[in-house]
Amino acid sequence: MNMKNLKVILSATALMFIAPSVFAQVEPAETTAPAEMPEMAHAEGTMMTVHVKGMVCDFCARAVTKVFGKKDAVDGVHVDLDSGEIHVGLKPGMSLTDAEVETLVKKSGYALVSIMREAL
């Protein structure tokens, strides 16, 4: 067995032991409906529904939540993997342009399909 094969086998073995503990801590992204998220319930805020292609797992949801959560205008993020939607609550008086949203989606590694906005 050469050194390269040994490294691959050791890496795979390590992942078998590490991955379950990492994923055990992940809460399913689709358990909370956007309307039930109290931190996003502002009367004068805005809710955006961003449709994307490519999100399939909780890791995807966490990556998107992290990227969008870094923006000052964002009040809360909910990812619905089943429908391929990112629900973004914006703080009152703040906004994100379509170009900013598209950049955030691409930065997360996904393709933007559409953006819908509604006042709360």
Side-chain angles (χ1 to χ4, degrees), residues 29-34 37 40 65 76-80 85-88:
E30 57 274 341
T31 58
T32 307
M37 297 180 70
M40 292 170 48
T65 301
V77 179
H78 167 264
V79 177
D80 186 342
E85 295 177 347
I86 306 167
H87 302 278
V88 182

Side-chain angles (χ1 to χ4, degrees), residues 7-22:
K7 286 181 183 179
V8 170
I9 291 171
L10 289 175
S11 296
T13 304
L15 282 175
M16 286 179 11
F17 292 104
I18 295 171
S21 64
V22 170

Side-chain angles (χ1 to χ4, degrees), residues 50-104:
V50 182
H51 297 270
V52 299
K53 285 187 199 176
M55 292 190 307
V56 295
C57 65
D58 287 331
F59 181 76
C60 300
R62 284 184 169 230
V64 168
T65 301
K66 184 176 180 180
V67 169
F68 274 84
K70 290 181 180 180
K71 298 302 277 185
D72 290 336
V74 174
D75 194 24
V77 179
H78 167 264
V79 177
D80 186 342
L81 295 172
D82 294 331
S83 63
E85 295 177 347
I86 306 167
H87 302 278
V88 182
L90 299 176
K91 294 177 183 173
M94 300 191 85
S95 66
L96 290 174
T97 66
D98 288 354
E100 288 175 305
V101 172
E102 184 172 12
T103 299
L104 293 172

